[in-house]
Amino acid sequence: MNKRYWSGRICGLVPYTPGEQPKDRQFIKLNTNENPYPPSPRVTGAVAAAAGADLRRYPDPEGAPLLAALSRACGLPQDHIFAGNGSDEVLSFAFQAFFDAGSTIVFPDITYSFYPVYANLFGIRCRRVPLNPDFTLPVEAFCGGNDGVVIANPNAPTGMAVGLDALRAILEANPHAVVIVDEAYVDFGAQSALPLVGAYPNLLVVQTMSKSRALAGLRVGFAFGQPELIAALRCVKDSINSYTLDRLAIAGAVAALEDGDYFDLRRRQVMDTRERAAERLRELGFTVLPSQANFLFASHPAVPARDLFAGLRAAGILVRYFAQPRIDSFLRITVGTDGEMDALCRALESLLGQRS
């Protein structure tokens, strides 16, 4: 492709590759960590009600109704909360707000692959810290000697999480650098760092409604931190696009937060299915990492993950395969319904039987 009109900044950029969204046939989709259940009925009602004549008006630039609902839900003042168009956008604003071009940030060598994309886009140096052989986080390696820290907790694609003591150690060792804790999957069993926000001015916690609230299609994310950090995010937002959240997204997100019973029911279903599916995979001979997310990371000692990935796709089941060092023997499997996970296990049993 001719890139003669491209800026020098992006000519060598390798963009993020999202999970496959097939259009040619029907699949059991276990590849993009979407919630297998629909959003709360209150959400669809609120979105329908918002889809009226007021769509001709710009939405509230701050998303004030959503900030108020988030404040009620988490117990933090509204000046400690920022809302944006999905957590990916919030993260991109954070990279611009807190890390200068030429500075060095650290994150694990195995983690969400958008982090190095953002770093390269904004001219930030990144140092990738190898996870331990068992994929746990080497906490000491994140304690000092950097200009910023980014940690997904639970991590992606491993699904493994660290506790608050580890996060406290990292925060206290980096008092002059912002520590971003990306909690996209925290609602599926991990400890949130939200209780630490009041004590650590260098902590930014980023969350999303895409996973546990089943709102990936509305694109709603948010961040929690002390007012100095939130003001920096707003500065970046208002320098790019003041209206990041539309009326429908705000209405749907507020309704989702207000239906706590539905939220608890659905996330518990996902967690219960995750444990049953993990046990079944182990019975089939897989090594399955302990997950506190809505996906499983599994490896079979006898059959290459690439072959299983291709075999499952041929059988109409999509999972995620990462052809990169240390994890190219693993599949990342989104937790679906009980029926979908049963179909996955039957397909894997058939593929393993054919191989043997």
Side-chain angles (χ1 to χ4, degrees):
M1 178 185 295
N2 193 326
K3 300 181 180 180
R4 60 177 174 167
Y5 298 118
W6 293 32
S7 73
R9 187 179 69 258
I10 70 165
C11 272
L13 194 67
V14 178
Y16 172 74
T17 302
E20 181 181 3
Q21 297 285 0
K23 299 179 176 63
D24 58 331
R25 59 178 284 196
Q26 289 293 112
F27 286 91
I28 294 176
K29 274 188 90 277
L30 305 177
N31 66 323
T32 51
N33 297 341
E34 294 153 322
N35 198 307
Y37 302 106
S40 162
R42 293 192 194 181
V43 171
T44 51
V47 170
D54 281 347
L55 287 180
R56 73 189 191 280
R57 306 290 188 191
Y58 284 109
D60 186 312
E62 299 299 330
L66 177 55
L67 296 186
L70 287 166
S71 179
R72 291 191 296 270
C74 71
L76 288 172
Q78 292 187 41
D79 63 358
H80 286 58
I81 308 170
F82 175 87
N85 186 33
S87 62
D88 285 339
E89 180 185 76
V90 175
L91 286 165
S92 75
F93 288 170
F95 272 62
Q96 296 173 81
F98 307 124
F99 309 135
D100 288 321
S103 62
T104 299
I105 64 172
V106 294
F107 45 76
D109 64 335
I110 299 168
T111 193
Y112 186 29
S113 56
F114 231 137
Y115 303 155
V117 173
Y118 288 143
N120 291 334
L121 178 60
F122 302 128
I124 302 163
R125 296 188 183 97
C126 55
R127 177 163 52 87
R128 304 187 197 205
V129 177
L131 293 176
N132 293 323
D134 62 356
F135 298 110
T136 56
L137 190 78
V139 175
E140 298 80 6
F142 291 86
C143 293
N146 62 75
D147 301 308
V149 177
V150 185
I151 296 173
N153 194 41
N155 195 17
T158 67
M160 299 175 68
V162 297
L164 296 187
D165 287 344
L167 295 178
R168 285 191 190 94
I170 293 169
L171 287 160
E172 290 171 6
N174 297 283
H176 304 298
V178 172
V179 175
I180 299 174
V181 181
D182 181 357
E183 295 187 344
Y185 304 100
V186 74
D187 292 325
F188 298 105
Q191 284 184 291
S192 175
L194 279 180
L196 305 182
V197 166
Y200 295 98
N202 59 329
L203 170 63
L204 189 80
V205 179
V206 179
Q207 295 184 0
T208 179
M209 288 198 165
S210 294
K211 315 301 183 184
S212 58
R213 306 275 181 176
L215 293 182
L218 278 190
R219 313 306 302 128
V220 181
F222 28 88
F224 305 93
Q226 293 194 19
E228 179 183 0
L229 300 188
I230 299 305
L233 293 175
R234 287 178 176 155
C235 180
V236 172
K237 174 182 78 79
D238 289 336
S239 300
I240 297 173
N241 174 20
S242 293
Y243 304 101
T244 55
L245 278 172
D246 62 57
R247 289 181 178 273
L248 305 186
I250 292 170
V254 170
L257 287 166
E258 290 176 344
D259 197 349
D261 290 342
Y262 186 90
F263 166 70
D264 287 333
L265 170 67
R266 292 307 196 189
R267 73 188 184 104
R268 175 52 60 186
Q269 283 182 284
V270 170
M271 293 163 68
D272 289 346
T273 300
R274 178 188 69 202
E275 298 311 309
R276 286 194 294 271
E279 182 58 30
R280 179 67 181 121
L281 289 172
R282 293 187 182 102
E283 291 172 356
L284 292 173
F286 284 85
T287 295
V288 184
L289 298 189
S291 175
Q292 291 180 285
N294 68 332
F295 55 85
L296 296 167
F297 207 48
S299 174
H300 197 277
V303 185
R306 184 189 294 273
D307 293 351
L308 292 173
F309 168 79
L312 287 171
R313 195 181 195 287
I317 302 173
L318 293 180
V319 296
R320 196 80 190 265
Y321 170 70
F322 300 93
Q324 68 183 71
R326 299 188 66 192
I327 60 170
D328 58 356
S329 63
F330 282 82
L331 296 175
R332 192 196 70 190
I333 304 167
T334 301
V335 176
T337 63
D338 285 334
E340 288 171 335
M341 301 310 284
D342 288 343
L344 167 82
C345 291
R346 287 194 299 270
L348 286 171
E349 187 173 18
S350 175
L351 291 170
L352 294 172
Q354 293 170 20
R355 177 58 66 99
S356 65

